[in-house]
Amino acid sequence: MGAAAFPMLRLPLSAALGIYFRKISFRDQANLPRSGAVLVVSNHPATLSETFLIGTRLGRRFHFIAASFVFKPWIKGALARFCGAIPVYRRQDEPEQMAKNADMFRECHAQFDRGQAIVIFPEGESLTDRAILPLKTGAARLALGYDALPGREGKLALVPVGVYYSDRTKFQSEAVVSVGQAIDLAPFRGAADSQEAVRDLTAAIQKHLESLILNVPNDAVARFVHDVEKLYLADLREEREGEPDLDLLRRIAECITYYQAHDPLRVYDGWRRTNAYWRKLETLGIADPALQSEVERRATRRHALALLIGGAFGLVPALLGMLVNLPPFLLSALLARLTAPQDILVSSIRIIAGLVVFPLTYGVITWALRAKVGWSWETITGALLLCALLGYFALVYLRWVRTERERIRVAFLSLNHRRLMAKLRAERKALVDTFDQARADYLAATRRG
């Protein structure tokens, strides 16, 4: 966030992100200098969501380079500038205004001179969250242009930051922000052909960003990676304990991409069998995690008893939490569905809508308790805090009920349809064995560990 908006927006945005995402992980934050001129280059899979993540969670105040349409109408532009945004004029938006980009470069150079950090998204808007489009050259031109100024050589750190979402449109998904090592500008400095240097640096930025996310340019492969992830990631976690999920997913994607090029029939067979397995689970109304554990009659009773007792004790506070928090939650989701024309905008709109709708809801409750009931401010504050805590409890409670219900469903089927479930478990084990063998063959063929 910009200097003016940072203290005001950091806390509410951080809270909103903590609620919207089930888990947020940051990797190698030490690669981002704590002070001095920095140009952060990042992918852009969910527009404002990564702006919020980078702007509030990386420990520095950032200015963001944003497309000129973000600044229209003027009141929206005033807010964008207050938040530290700097306009850039793109050919596809306002080709007649591109001469104004000289002002953007001057503004960025001035910020660098003051030791500030700027974020640019050289990809523009991502069409998918599993690949990076060819980058535009603006980031490279900005970095090399500043580095070439008298007395500025070596003063700017060019830092790639990759943002990965397990599902960029889903509430309670996961986000991973990976900070790469600064890209050395020395090899590109003083080149005889400045345009070639810009192209080479742009290619280097692209390579660095692709290494920080799950980069799967082929849509069909990306879908297959997702299907394998649901089935195989838990097994892979056990074997490679401590390795981050994102790295494990990269291994899966690299293996599938390799076989797509060298043994496409093997990929097709795995895809066909995996899809058949998921269709059977869908027909039975069960989830794969609940199927993984062996179920006995005693375990069935234990899960049923836990669901009965835990459900009974937690039902009232969960209902109270939903009574207050469910209406603004559903309204935020509805606004996102109605106003987000693309997947890239869903999470951003839900977060922004939540930042507006939830405070309004709590404001109405405050007014009612004060004006109609006559409660003291201390009592109202306690009541609102309790409402917020009960809302979070309801979220955890519903997730727990869903998991226990799945376990009981699998337990019931295991006890009453033993042959069917035994066959399904055998099918799952055969798939996992197939993936294990494919991975072993891939590592042997590529001599990787």
Side-chain angles (χ1 to χ4, degrees):
M1 298 290 105
F6 186 79
M8 298 172 56
L9 298 179
R10 184 179 185 182
L11 184 59
L13 279 174
S14 294
L17 291 169
I19 294 170
Y20 184 83
F21 293 105
R22 184 169 60 87
K23 180 181 178 182
I24 302 175
S25 303
F26 292 87
R27 303 179 62 185
D28 302 318
Q29 285 181 265
N31 287 334
L32 181 71
R34 297 294 94 185
S35 61
V38 174
L39 177 61
V40 168
V41 287
S42 176
N43 60 317
H44 212 20
T47 58
L48 288 176
S49 296
E50 48 271 11
T51 302
F52 296 156
L53 286 167
I54 294 172
T56 62
R57 298 292 188 96
L58 285 185
R60 287 200 64 169
R61 301 184 181 188
F62 293 96
H63 294 269
F64 291 85
I65 295 179
S68 57
F69 65 79
V70 172
F71 296 80
K72 296 177 180 180
W74 71 267
I75 191 168
K76 185 180 172 185
L79 178 61
R81 289 185 182 278
F82 179 73
C83 293
I86 300 171
V88 63
Y89 297 87
R90 305 186 303 179
R91 190 179 305 277
Q92 65 266 36
D93 298 327
E94 297 178 284
E96 72 282 358
Q97 299 290 333
M98 289 187 63
K100 292 184 178 180
N101 284 332
D103 296 332
M104 180 271 291
F105 282 97
R106 280 192 291 269
E107 173 65 15
C108 291
H109 291 171
Q111 294 295 343
F112 291 147
D113 284 341
R114 290 192 283 268
Q116 298 296 308
I118 292 175
V119 179
I120 186 172
F121 302 101
E123 179 188 17
E125 294 180 351
S126 302
L127 296 179
T128 172
D129 57 350
R130 292 293 180 267
I132 297 178
L133 295 173
L135 302 186
K136 299 174 177 62
T137 59
R141 288 190 288 118
L142 178 57
L144 293 178
Y146 182 76
D147 189 71
L149 293 175
R152 274 76 162 191
E153 183 178 306
K155 301 292 186 181
L156 177 67
L158 178 61
V159 181
V161 174
V163 182
Y164 162 80
Y165 302 105
S166 59
D167 187 333
R168 64 177 174 175
T169 65
K170 187 178 180 181
F171 177 70
Q172 287 283 281
S173 62
E174 296 186 16
V176 181
V177 181
S178 302
V179 184
Q181 293 185 347
I183 301 172
D184 186 9
L185 296 178
F188 311 96
R189 186 177 295 139
D193 187 338
S194 60
Q195 293 302 313
E196 184 177 357
V198 165
R199 289 191 294 269
D200 289 345
L201 179 55
T202 300
I205 295 171
Q206 177 113 23
K207 184 176 180 181
H208 277 78
L209 286 178
E210 289 175 350
S211 72
L212 295 172
I213 66 165
L214 179 61
N215 185 54
V216 190
N218 186 296
D219 288 342
V221 174
R223 288 192 294 270
F224 187 32
V225 169
H226 180 64
D227 287 340
V228 174
E229 171 191 350
K230 292 189 294 181
L231 176 65
Y232 191 52
L233 185 59
D235 297 83
L236 207 55
R237 281 195 197 110
E238 293 181 5
E239 183 174 335
R240 306 190 69 91
E241 188 175 354
E243 190 166 346
D245 283 359
L246 181 56
D247 292 343
L248 296 177
L249 290 174
R250 284 201 197 101
R251 289 177 178 273
I252 293 173
E254 289 168 0
C255 183
I256 293 175
T257 301
Y258 171 83
Y259 283 117
Q260 186 190 32
H262 295 85
D263 193 350
L265 288 179
R266 194 169 191 173
V267 175
Y268 173 75
D269 180 66
W271 171 83
R272 178 183 56 79
R273 292 170 57 194
T274 303
N275 271 271
Y277 172 76
W278 288 121
R279 285 196 299 271
K280 291 174 185 177
L281 292 189
E282 186 177 349
T283 301
L284 293 171
I286 58 178
D288 181 70
L291 185 69
Q292 294 177 28
S293 58
E294 294 296 329
V295 181
E296 300 175 354
R297 189 176 300 274
R298 186 178 301 173
T300 307
R301 292 171 179 168
R302 186 169 61 249
H303 285 304
L305 187 62
L307 183 60
L308 180 64
I309 296 175
F313 277 96
L315 181 60
V316 172
L319 287 175
L320 289 174
M322 287 188 284
L323 179 66
V324 175
N325 295 282
L326 188 59
F329 173 82
L330 294 177
L331 180 56
S332 300
L334 178 62
L335 288 172
R337 188 162 61 249
L338 293 176
T339 60
Q342 300 171 309
D343 287 349
I344 190 174
L345 296 171
V346 171
S347 63
S348 304
I349 293 177
R350 286 199 67 171
I351 292 170
I352 294 172
L355 283 170
V356 175
V357 175
F358 275 89
L360 284 176
T361 301
Y362 277 66
V364 170
I365 294 173
T366 301
W367 172 81
L369 293 177
R370 182 67 178 175
K372 302 298 182 181
V373 184
W375 285 11
S376 67
W377 289 115
E378 292 79 6
T379 305
I380 292 174
T381 301
L384 294 180
L385 179 61
L386 181 61
C387 287
L389 292 175
L390 288 176
Y392 185 76
F393 172 80
L395 191 64
V396 176
Y397 175 84
L398 291 173
R399 189 187 305 142
W400 174 79
V401 167
R402 190 181 304 114
T403 301
E404 290 300 312
R405 186 183 61 192
E406 287 284 352
R407 288 175 176 173
I408 293 174
R409 171 72 175 163
V410 170
F412 174 81
L413 291 172
S414 298
L415 293 172
N416 294 279
H417 302 277
R418 293 180 181 273
R419 185 174 299 178
L420 171 65
M421 296 304 286
K423 184 178 180 181
L424 198 57
R425 283 197 172 90
E427 186 174 343
R428 185 188 191 281
K429 184 179 185 305
L431 275 172
V432 171
D433 290 343
T434 298
F435 295 151
D436 282 337
Q437 186 60 54
R439 186 166 63 89
D441 293 345
Y442 164 71
L443 295 176
T446 58
R447 300 181 183 275
R448 299 183 62 175

